[in-house]
Amino acid sequence: MTTDIGADWAAWQESWDRQQEWYMPDREERFRVMLDMVEALVGPEPRVLDLACGTGSITARLFERFPKAVSTGVDLDPALLTIAEGTFRGDDRVTFVTADLKDPDWPAKLPYDSYDAVLTATALHWLHREPLAVLYGQVAGLVRDGGVFMNADHMIDETTPRINAADRAQRHARMDEAKAVGVVDWAEWWELAAQDPVLAGPTARRFEIYGEHAEGDTPSAEWHARVLREKGFAEAREVWRSPSDALVLALK
């Protein structure tokens, strides 16, 4: 994959962050807790797998906090990987790998056999429960003993429908207010990417791969923790929550 040295990768990262924060105003808080738990459980110089890395949002925050960390970013999206590779060009602490997480052989493409921490955020909800459980088994094989896996994502507690509905209504009202003053949403962000001379080609390939944005499942945090234990982790539980999302940590 080639990247254009003249592209403004910092601007693309910034626009991606703002677009994501429109959906998740507490996005930075989940990253902070994630890195707190990395430090607590595996220390300040971790080898990290940034799973479904996108533009490298987790890796960027990892390096800012832990300069001696190393990271492997894996994703299938050619546009987001183009931004990631452009952003981290020349940084030998990170390697990016193009792989489909539904391909049973994707771990063979990684540069390391094991990791201190595997981290992912707002990405795996496009997988349904059965392939996600398979992926969790593969992840368990990549995390060293004493290492951690963390997933921050939409995790719905279906036992509280009225609370969920009230939260959803309030979030969408705030999103509408932000939209009215010019915030760019998911679809509009991709329209801008398609108009960029460097990202137009990768964006077209991205939509050939994925089609329009499709949702998988959003099971509860309890489901994630239970399946992670079934797949080989010794402990697993929620370590952070908002009304709609959660961060689940599993310890090998």
Side-chain angles (χ1 to χ4, degrees):
M1 185 180 300
T2 59
T3 53
D4 189 316
I5 203 159
D8 190 344
W9 301 119
W12 277 111
Q13 290 283 3
E14 177 74 13
S15 69
W16 177 258
D17 284 345
R18 300 293 81 75
Q19 177 257 124
Q20 290 286 287
E21 286 170 354
W22 182 64
Y23 297 96
M24 298 169 289
D26 49 26
R27 183 167 176 256
E28 293 299 331
E29 178 69 5
R30 69 191 71 192
F31 288 146
R32 182 191 66 78
V33 175
M34 181 180 281
L35 295 179
D36 279 350
M37 298 310 295
V38 166
E39 185 172 22
L41 288 162
V42 298
E45 299 181 23
R47 177 193 292 170
V48 170
L49 177 59
D50 187 349
L51 192 67
C53 65
T55 65
S57 298
I58 289 174
T59 292
R61 288 153 180 81
L62 175 78
F63 289 166
E64 184 177 350
R65 180 155 168 181
F66 306 125
K68 294 184 179 179
V70 296
S71 178
T72 304
V74 60
D75 208 303
L76 186 60
D77 189 313
L80 299 185
L81 280 173
T82 295
I83 295 171
E85 290 176 338
T87 300
F88 294 95
R89 183 195 298 276
D91 191 333
D92 60 8
R93 295 173 297 176
V94 62
T95 303
F96 290 103
V97 174
T98 300
D100 184 348
L101 298 181
K102 291 185 283 188
D103 176 354
D105 296 324
W106 71 265
K109 296 184 175 183
L110 301 176
Y112 302 104
D113 292 331
S114 68
Y115 289 85
D116 301 310
V118 178
L119 308 177
T120 188
T122 328
L124 301 187
H125 60 268
W126 55 267
L127 287 175
H128 290 282
R129 282 171 171 80
E130 291 178 8
L132 181 56
V134 171
L135 179 65
Y136 279 173
Q138 293 173 308
V139 168
L142 290 167
V143 175
R144 68 162 171 83
D145 287 347
V148 297
F149 167 71
M150 280 181 268
N151 179 14
D153 210 341
H154 313 313
M155 298 184 187
I156 305 301
D157 186 338
E158 295 176 353
T159 68
T160 57
R162 289 188 296 161
I163 295 172
N164 299 348
D167 169 61
R168 190 179 195 286
Q170 183 181 59
R171 281 190 292 111
H172 281 264
R174 289 175 174 169
M175 289 166 71
D176 289 344
E177 291 172 3
K179 196 80 170 60
V181 295
V183 171
V184 173
D185 66 16
W186 169 269
E188 291 167 333
W189 190 90
W190 283 109
E191 289 174 5
L192 293 171
Q195 295 165 17
D196 183 274
V198 178
L199 292 176
T203 297
R205 293 195 297 276
R206 184 243 182 243
F207 281 95
E208 289 172 4
I209 294 168
Y210 292 106
E212 295 302 319
H213 189 228
E215 295 293 330
D217 288 343
T218 53
S220 67
E222 290 75 16
W223 180 93
H224 288 272
R226 174 179 58 79
V227 172
L228 286 161
R229 288 191 295 269
E230 290 172 354
K231 294 298 181 179
F233 287 92
E235 300 178 13
R237 71 169 175 89
E238 174 188 302
V239 292
W240 173 90
R241 163 158 289 290
S242 74
S244 60
D245 291 19
L247 171 60
V248 168
L249 182 153
L251 180 66
K252 189 78 177 288

